[in-house]
Amino acid sequence: MECIVPLVSAELRGMKINKDKLIEITKELKNQKDNLVFQLNDFIISRGYEPINFRSSKQLLSLFNKLELVITDRDGKPSANKDYIKQAIYTYPEYKAFLELLIQLSEMNKLISTYGDGILKKLDTNNIISTYYTINFTNTGRISSKADKLRINTTNLQNIPARSTQGQLILESLKQEKVMY
């Protein structure tokens, strides 16, 4: 029960975002993404194929077919899902570098769309974003956060991948003022 007051306070107050820093970080992430796309296209062109849109599952699956990469989901259907691509690294060690670049690109796209541009779109006029804390959606009774569909400027701040270098950059843009309870 001791955590109720700080959680309610944090939920109501929201999280101050250093907007300029987040814009700068998002721009850097987009530059890194462009570099990954360049490397992937360089790989494709070196094998005599045309560049593709890596966000298109259809184009990726077509490329996998041309490269004779059989990447399937649990049901045996062709898949461009990041998790199945990770598994394919062991099946196709000769394509390890290419597949790792695809995984990095997928993770980079998620960071940019969800935590870079996504947070920037949800900031209020004071550069504050909120989250909704709950214990109702976990089996263990731990605290989780999620976006609140009734409030526009909310997001799930707990899912920022803090272990990755890029995720740590996003976290640097969060500012929390010290508050005494």
Side-chain angles (χ1 to χ4, degrees):
M1 290 303 249
E2 294 175 15
C3 67
I4 298 286
V5 172
L7 283 176
V8 170
S9 178
E11 188 175 308
L12 293 174
R13 200 176 54 251
M15 173 84 54
K16 180 83 170 167
I17 303 292
N18 183 334
K19 184 178 180 179
D20 293 335
K21 187 167 189 82
L22 185 57
I23 288 170
E24 177 186 319
I25 290 166
T26 303
K27 185 177 178 182
E28 174 57 30
L29 292 175
K30 287 178 180 179
N31 288 336
Q32 291 177 26
K33 180 192 87 161
D34 291 344
N35 184 41
L36 290 170
V37 169
F38 178 82
Q39 291 177 62
L40 286 162
N41 277 322
D42 191 46
F43 172 86
I44 293 169
I45 292 167
S46 73
R47 283 164 176 69
Y49 303 112
E50 294 291 319
I52 67 167
N53 173 3
F54 292 100
R55 294 193 98 166
S56 166
S57 294
K58 184 177 179 180
Q59 289 183 33
L60 261 177
L61 291 173
S62 175
L63 176 65
F64 291 165
N65 190 40
K66 291 173 186 173
L67 296 172
E68 298 179 2
L69 294 171
V70 180
I71 300 175
T72 58
D73 63 15
R74 290 182 205 148
D75 298 326
K77 296 177 186 167
S79 177
N81 180 290
K82 170 181 87 163
D83 295 326
Y84 298 114
I85 293 172
K86 281 181 183 178
Q87 293 172 4
I89 289 173
Y90 303 104
T91 309
Y92 302 102
E94 67 275 21
Y95 288 106
K96 180 181 180 190
F98 170 71
L99 296 173
E100 285 177 342
L101 288 173
L102 276 178
I103 293 164
Q104 288 176 33
L105 180 62
S106 172
E107 292 169 352
M108 189 70 66
N109 281 330
K110 173 77 173 175
L111 275 173
I112 292 167
S113 65
T114 305
Y115 304 112
D117 292 337
I119 288 176
L120 287 168
K121 288 178 189 171
K122 292 181 179 183
L123 292 178
D124 71 7
T125 55
N126 296 315
N127 297 330
I128 292 176
I129 193 158
S130 298
T131 193
Y132 173 72
Y133 295 104
T134 182
I135 60 169
N136 295 333
F137 300 104
T138 64
N139 293 331
T140 60
R142 66 177 171 76
I143 296 169
S144 66
S145 71
K146 66 178 196 161
D148 182 353
K149 302 215 186 296
L150 299 176
R151 295 185 291 172
I152 296 170
N153 69 325
T154 63
T155 193
N156 183 351
L157 296 172
Q158 284 185 306
N159 284 349
I160 298 172
R163 292 188 179 130
S164 74
T165 305
Q166 292 85 3
Q168 289 174 4
L169 289 173
I170 298 285
L171 289 171
E172 285 178 19
S173 68
L174 304 179
K175 283 196 239 177
Q176 191 60 28
E177 298 170 9
K178 289 188 177 185
V179 177
M180 300 305 285
Y181 298 101

